[in-house]
Amino acid sequence: MYIILGYFAGFLGIALGFFIHFVILANQSSFGIPFFSPYIPYNTLSDNNNLHMKPVWKREKRSKILNTKKPQIEEHISMKWRKNGKQL
Amino acid sequence: MFIKKIIFILLMILILFSLTGCYNTTGIDRQYFIVSFGIDLIENNLIKLSLQIPSSSSSGAKSSDSAQASSYQLYSVEGETIDECLSILNNYLNKKINLSHCSALILSEEVAKKGIEPYINTLTNNTELRHSCEIIISSSSALEVLEKVSNSGEIFSARLFDYLSSSSQYTGYTIQSSFGDFFQALDNDYYNPSCIYVSVDKDTVQTNGIAIFNKANMIGHIDVSNSISHLIVTNDLDTCTITIDNPFENNEKLDLDVSLYKDTDIKIDIINGSPFISLTIYPEGTIRSSGSIFNYIDTNNIKSVEHATSAYLEKILKDYLYTITKKYNSDIVGFKGIYQSNFLTKEEFDKVHWDEIFQDSYFNINLKTKINSSNLFNKE
Amino acid sequence: MENNYKLGKVEAIAIILIVMINKLILNIPYYIVDLVGSGAIINLLYIGTIDFILLLVIIKLFKNFENSDILDVSEFLGGKILKNLIGFLCIALFFLVAFITLIDFSNVLHTIYFSNFPMVYILFFFILGVLIANIIGIKGISRTICFIVPFAIFSVIITFFTSFENLDIKDITPIIGKSYTNTFITGLSNCFSMYILVIYYFLKPLLKDVTSFKKVSIISFAISFILLMLTIVPMLTLFNTSSNSEPINSLFLLSRQIELGRFLQRIDALFIFLWIFAIFAYLSFIIFMINRIIKKIFPVSNEKMLSYSTCGILFGIALIPVNISHIHFIEDTLYRYLIIGFTFVLGIILLTLANFKKRKLQKNNIS
């Protein structure tokens, strides 16, 4: 499709195709989750669904998109033994 | 529903075919990408446009016997305007000429003295020409320059033009001038344009200073020592080599590498109706060679060299500054813009009538020279 | 198609920013610099302050009207007649804005890249994209805008940083410009540059969380203002007080100068691609707003056909044979004073009178 559009109108056609393609995809959702999440909409970005994930022991909250009853999985500092000499 | 979709798609394709205008675009194989072009003036107010086009390898193999065969072809045509010449050449060459990869625009001195505004305006309005294309003024004809460049043995001529302008970084004998900068200088009214000035010498093209313009007309050129001064005043000096009289030995010379360790300060006042321009310059030097026994560690020796350098630089700077004011009356540095910064509104500045008083400027030069050391030996 | 999709905070900010970026892509910064010359920085700070005060006034005046836009306020003030009148005015304004955007950018594309295309073809492509986006709905459009905005901002920032090295004290002085009256009195008409103020009049009902209206408007205004400054300052290197030439598109000319040695040259081709995207997104949003206003004035049963008709009207208006002098007149004169008239005069008067009426009604209810 992009080849045909590019033949007809150069990169204007490709930009048109890309724009419409993007709008269609952005409108879709799979099982209630928007297609481009977690990046668009931005508020779905969390520790657990990102390109760069935090280490397991740092993931303290569940994803917002799941709408869980208890969003906090673990305490703020779960590995207490790593804090040298501090009483918590 | 399905039939409706099919009909819709067919209709869309039909509409697109009927409105399409893309099938007759010019492909790359139908275009000539020129490397450089030159403009000369001939009789009857006509111009001669010369183009340098890379030739394909097949034609090069047929036509050449010697090892130094040129891989470029030159075409010249006469006409009244640039676009007329280009369309004649399009017809002659059967391919469209494309200026997207043009690396240099060469104008002969005659063309520049007559006025280059029509050519610059035509080329600025051209969507293909790059901003970074170089503009060069030649003392001989542009065609001669192109011939020398084509036969220079350099595989890529575009690099040769790049070497010409970038030579200012280590010789200081010229400036870097691009087409976009030239047009901007022409468009403004607070400084005049200037560009590289070259001359043809036997088989080579070499830089020979800076061509000076008053708006769109070339009024003269300054030589290489004045070019060094120009670069010092405009803070564009990377490094250059100067030769001064040895303060310790008569009839002997001292070579120094000079650069600037701080930006030049320029202060301008109007005293008795004339601009008084005070420049504080911060050159830094390294002694390359003295030709005789010399103790670089001795503070007194260093101070003597500093004085000698300052004296030499002051002489060439004064020569340059009075040349551009008294002889040419062309502000290629931008003193007008510097003085303009003292005012809050343009209305107040216009009352000074700077253009009328610029020729009567007088200068005061303070040099704070620093000689660091020599290169490999501290004592000889 | 979802009729009741509400925008989140980030989506609303992104929409305001795409509106601002589109003004920068067109020749608007050049008109600002052309009027005031090297005093553009002082002038921008001055009109930025005035526009910010206006924004705070709008936020304050809208506080009594939760979940209402300017049409609901005019209905409250003067009934259906005033609402319809203001609605027609808003439709005309949005059509003018869309027309200017479309015709200006198509002209740029036609001159620079597509000289052997007929202009109709370029216009048709834009209208087609806008039509399909509007049929899909605001959800897709707003998320696409969220995607495009960072890239468009990136192009503006890159242009600024590469032009910044050429900036000299000579370009930004005299700091006040041509004269005091020119910068501070004649320069007041540069308030049209913050066109986003028009959008704030319609934004409240679109938001998911109406209480975030203040936060969204202030953040988006601040970022838009910074973007405007980042575009205007490098313009001064090219077109200061004494320039004699007028470009077809000033941001394009600036981006033509970007080069990093031999590796990165003519990056304006990539930027044009980004800007085409931004224009598509912006036009889709404007048509969405027009559809929304029409739905408020008239009872519309089939919304899909509405998109077809608004896009068709826009295409028809864009086909009126115009040359560059007409476009220049519309952008420089008509557009400038209409925006100022709408944001500073009409909107404020309507909101103030509506607030007075509400206070009077509340007093009558109490007594």
Side-chain angles (χ1 to χ4, degrees):
Chain A
M1 191 64 207
Y2 283 106
I3 296 171
I4 295 169
L5 279 170
Y7 171 70
F8 281 131
F11 60 77
L12 179 62
I14 293 173
L16 166 74
F18 191 51
F19 175 71
I20 294 172
H21 195 181
F22 203 92
V23 172
I24 292 170
L25 288 175
N27 200 36
Q28 285 177 349
S29 57
S30 65
F31 296 103
I33 313 296
F35 193 83
F36 284 115
S37 68
Y39 299 106
I40 300 162
Y42 183 68
N43 56 2
T44 53
L45 202 67
S46 70
D47 299 343
N48 300 333
N49 54 348
N50 200 345
L51 193 64
H52 300 283
M53 306 257 285
K54 287 184 181 173
V56 173
W57 49 269
K58 261 197 167 182
R59 292 180 209 165
E60 292 162 8
K61 293 195 173 142
R62 294 194 174 98
S63 300
K64 281 182 219 165
I65 47 176
L66 297 172
N67 283 324
T68 52
K69 280 186 179 173
K70 283 188 193 173
Q72 193 93 8
I73 303 173
E74 48 191 30
E75 299 165 7
H76 176 52
I77 295 167
S78 58
M79 291 186 173
K80 293 192 179 65
W81 60 89
R82 290 187 88 160
K83 286 268 171 190
N84 299 328
K86 258 199 174 176
Q87 292 287 317
L88 290 162
Chain B
M1 266 315 282
F2 189 63
I3 294 172
K4 267 191 183 172
K5 278 190 181 165
I6 298 276
I7 292 172
F8 176 71
I9 290 170
L10 282 172
L11 263 175
M12 284 304 296
I13 292 173
L14 202 67
I15 291 169
L16 283 172
F17 264 109
S18 63
L19 288 175
T20 188
C22 195
Y23 50 80
N24 56 354
T25 48
T26 329
I28 293 176
D29 53 339
R30 289 195 199 169
Q31 297 185 43
Y32 270 132
F33 291 94
I34 62 170
V35 175
S36 56
F37 71 105
I39 304 177
D40 292 308
L41 204 62
I42 53 176
E43 65 263 0
N44 298 333
N45 272 340
L46 291 175
I47 59 166
K48 188 174 182 180
L49 190 79
S50 315
L51 299 178
Q52 187 187 21
I53 299 175
S55 58
S56 58
S57 52
S58 55
S59 60
K62 269 192 271 177
S63 60
S64 66
D65 288 328
S66 67
Q68 282 194 344
S70 166
S71 54
Y72 293 92
Q73 286 171 319
L74 289 175
Y75 298 99
S76 292
V77 74
E78 294 165 16
E80 285 186 11
T81 61
I82 292 177
D83 285 313
E84 187 186 328
C85 296
L86 284 174
S87 50
I88 295 170
L89 274 168
N90 280 340
N91 179 42
Y92 173 71
L93 292 170
N94 301 320
K95 281 191 190 183
K96 191 175 179 297
I97 289 170
N98 193 307
L99 300 174
S100 306
H101 289 269
C102 182
S103 58
L105 159 64
I106 303 159
L107 301 156
S108 68
E109 197 169 339
E110 285 175 326
V111 170
K113 283 190 169 156
K114 191 178 169 230
I116 60 171
E117 197 160 12
Y119 313 118
I120 298 289
N121 286 341
T122 309
L123 292 168
T124 331
N125 223 2
N126 191 314
T127 54
E128 291 166 358
L129 197 67
R130 285 174 196 233
H131 170 85
S132 57
C133 168
E134 276 162 37
I135 184 163
I136 298 170
I137 306 290
S138 145
S139 59
S140 52
S141 72
L143 183 58
E144 211 179 318
V145 171
L146 288 176
E147 279 168 2
K148 296 281 183 277
V149 164
S150 303
N151 295 326
S152 64
E154 177 68 47
I155 299 173
F156 300 114
S157 283
R159 277 198 208 148
L160 206 92
F161 295 114
D162 200 29
Y163 300 153
L164 272 178
S165 75
S166 61
S167 67
S168 68
Q169 287 173 347
Y170 43 88
T171 60
Y173 288 166
T174 187
I175 54 171
Q176 292 188 325
S177 65
S178 70
F179 179 75
D181 293 338
F182 192 90
F183 176 71
Q184 246 174 284
L186 205 62
D187 205 33
N188 282 318
D189 71 351
Y190 56 62
Y191 69 105
N192 277 322
S194 53
C195 64
I196 306 170
Y197 185 76
V198 301
S199 55
V200 173
D201 182 39
K202 284 185 195 170
D203 289 326
T204 55
V205 175
Q206 61 179 24
T207 55
N208 203 9
I210 305 173
I212 300 186
F213 286 77
N214 186 2
K215 282 297 114 192
N217 295 65
M218 178 175 166
I219 45 179
H221 77 278
I222 53 177
D223 63 7
V224 296
S225 66
N226 285 338
S227 301
I228 295 175
S229 314
H230 175 77
L231 289 173
I232 290 173
V233 172
T234 53
N235 286 318
D236 283 333
L237 182 72
D238 279 321
T239 183
C240 68
T241 307
I242 59 170
T243 306
I244 63 172
D245 292 325
N246 194 326
F248 308 107
E249 301 282 335
N250 291 333
N251 305 324
E252 288 217 1
K253 299 285 180 188
L254 198 69
D255 302 307
L256 294 146
D257 276 338
V258 174
S259 58
L260 296 171
Y261 66 89
K262 212 174 152 193
D263 283 348
T264 306
D265 285 329
I266 301 177
K267 288 196 177 57
I268 306 177
D269 281 308
I270 304 284
I271 297 176
N272 292 334
S274 301
F276 173 67
I277 303 175
S278 170
L279 299 110
T280 311
I281 298 172
Y282 304 90
E284 171 181 59
T286 311
I287 301 173
R288 284 176 74 94
S289 74
S290 65
S292 61
I293 297 167
F294 190 88
N295 184 2
Y296 303 110
I297 300 175
D298 192 341
T299 329
N300 292 329
N301 285 352
I302 298 284
K303 276 214 167 85
S304 307
V305 174
E306 280 174 8
H307 286 137
T309 314
S310 299
Y312 176 81
L313 285 175
E314 192 172 338
K315 181 169 144 282
I316 62 168
L317 279 161
K318 278 205 161 137
D319 185 34
Y320 160 73
L321 289 165
Y322 285 110
T323 307
I324 61 166
T325 48
K326 301 274 185 279
K327 189 176 174 191
Y328 293 128
N329 192 18
S330 173
D331 183 4
I332 55 171
V333 175
F335 291 122
K336 182 178 181 180
I338 296 169
Y339 188 54
Q340 201 174 256
S341 56
N342 296 338
F343 294 87
L344 284 176
T345 65
K346 196 155 193 305
E347 257 181 359
E348 292 165 23
F349 176 69
D350 285 340
K351 291 178 190 163
V352 173
H353 302 291
W354 175 269
D355 294 328
E356 289 160 23
I357 60 174
F358 179 65
Q359 200 168 19
D360 302 325
S361 309
Y362 51 109
F363 299 92
N364 177 36
I365 303 173
N366 298 318
L367 284 150
K368 301 205 189 244
T369 316
K370 241 177 28 174
I371 300 289
N372 291 334
S373 67
S374 67
N375 285 334
L376 287 175
F377 289 95
N378 285 333
K379 205 172 182 177
E380 279 173 344
Chain C
M1 199 164 82
E2 290 177 34
N3 305 332
N4 300 320
Y5 180 74
K6 300 284 182 186
L7 301 170
K9 269 190 259 182
V10 176
E11 283 169 344
I13 293 174
I15 284 176
I16 305 286
L17 288 178
I18 203 82
V19 171
M20 189 67 208
I21 286 165
N22 273 275
K23 295 299 140 205
L24 302 178
I25 290 169
L26 303 177
N27 223 3
I28 305 296
Y30 173 75
Y31 294 125
I32 297 172
V33 172
D34 191 39
L35 186 66
V36 290
S38 53
I41 297 175
I42 299 280
N43 180 258
L44 265 185
L45 290 169
Y46 171 62
I47 60 173
T49 323
I50 294 175
D51 287 333
F52 187 67
I53 294 169
L54 178 71
L55 174 67
L56 293 174
V57 166
I58 292 172
I59 295 171
K60 185 85 173 56
L61 290 171
F62 259 120
K63 252 191 182 156
N64 286 333
F65 300 96
E66 293 292 330
N67 218 17
S68 306
D69 60 9
I70 191 77
L71 287 176
D72 300 324
V73 166
S74 49
E75 187 181 9
F76 172 78
L77 184 63
K80 282 221 155 153
I81 299 171
L82 188 63
K83 176 186 169 187
N84 290 349
L85 203 65
I86 300 294
F88 281 126
L89 197 64
C90 296
I91 291 170
L93 187 72
F94 279 127
F95 264 124
L96 179 73
V97 165
F99 163 68
I100 288 171
T101 311
L102 190 58
I103 206 83
D104 195 342
F105 199 70
S106 303
N107 197 33
V108 168
L109 280 182
H110 181 66
T111 309
I112 297 168
Y113 287 111
F114 295 115
S115 19
N116 51 355
F117 276 35
M119 183 79 139
V120 177
Y121 198 52
I122 302 174
L123 292 171
F124 173 70
F125 260 84
F126 277 112
I127 297 289
L128 187 65
V130 165
L131 175 67
I132 294 174
N134 268 286
I135 288 171
I136 291 169
I138 184 65
K139 194 163 141 191
I141 295 171
S142 61
R143 288 182 185 162
T144 312
I145 291 175
C146 280
F147 171 72
I148 296 168
V149 160
F151 294 103
I153 291 177
F154 172 73
S155 71
V156 171
I157 291 174
I158 288 281
T159 316
F160 170 74
F161 277 116
T162 47
S163 312
F164 191 69
E165 353 177 287
N166 297 335
L167 194 63
D168 204 4
I169 189 83
K170 299 186 271 244
D171 298 316
I172 55 175
T173 53
I175 197 89
I176 301 285
K178 293 176 191 170
S179 62
Y180 287 101
T181 44
N182 182 263
T183 305
F184 293 111
I185 297 176
T186 322
L188 271 178
S189 63
N190 278 342
C191 288
F192 84 109
S193 56
M194 299 302 277
Y195 163 74
I196 50 176
L197 292 169
V198 173
I199 307 291
Y200 290 131
Y201 283 112
F202 298 92
L203 189 61
K204 226 172 176 181
L206 291 171
L207 292 172
K208 206 184 287 180
D209 180 15
V210 181
T211 51
S212 64
F213 177 63
K214 186 175 180 181
K215 210 174 170 184
V216 159
S217 31
I218 291 176
I219 293 173
S220 54
F221 184 89
I223 302 175
S224 305
F225 183 71
I226 292 168
L227 281 176
L228 186 61
M229 281 293 257
L230 289 182
T231 317
I232 296 281
V233 169
M235 294 286 169
L236 291 172
T237 60
L238 286 182
F239 321 105
N240 61 10
T241 325
S242 37
S243 173
N244 300 318
S245 57
E246 184 179 324
I248 194 169
N249 189 318
S250 34
L251 200 61
F252 174 74
L253 270 187
L254 269 178
S255 60
R256 274 186 97 180
Q257 293 180 29
I258 298 172
E259 57 175 82
L260 294 171
R262 288 182 185 278
F263 303 110
L264 217 60
Q265 283 188 357
R266 301 294 286 264
I267 204 172
D268 50 280
L270 178 67
F271 286 174
I272 288 276
F273 184 75
L274 277 173
W275 295 343
I276 289 173
F277 228 86
I279 297 272
F280 269 126
Y282 172 64
L283 283 174
S284 311
F285 178 69
I286 293 286
I287 295 292
F288 164 75
M289 292 301 294
I290 293 173
N291 288 346
R292 203 158 173 278
I293 295 172
I294 293 175
K295 268 186 275 180
K296 279 202 162 181
I297 301 175
F298 305 110
V300 172
S301 63
N302 194 343
E303 284 148 357
K304 273 191 184 173
M305 297 312 288
L306 192 58
S307 302
Y308 283 114
S309 31
T310 42
C311 291
I313 293 172
L314 182 62
F315 190 44
I317 297 172
L319 284 175
I320 295 169
V322 285
N323 59 32
I324 194 88
S325 62
H326 295 146
I327 299 171
H328 186 110
F329 168 72
I330 294 171
E331 268 185 329
D332 202 13
T333 316
L334 192 66
Y335 174 68
R336 188 187 280 252
Y337 293 110
L338 268 174
I339 298 294
I340 292 174
F342 185 82
T343 50
F344 281 84
V345 179
L346 186 64
I348 298 290
I349 290 174
L350 283 172
L351 283 169
T352 323
L353 290 173
N355 269 286
F356 278 143
K357 185 176 178 180
K358 191 147 196 181
R359 222 175 280 171
K360 207 173 162 186
L361 283 171
Q362 279 170 350
K363 264 191 198 165
N364 287 343
N365 281 345
I366 291 166
S367 61

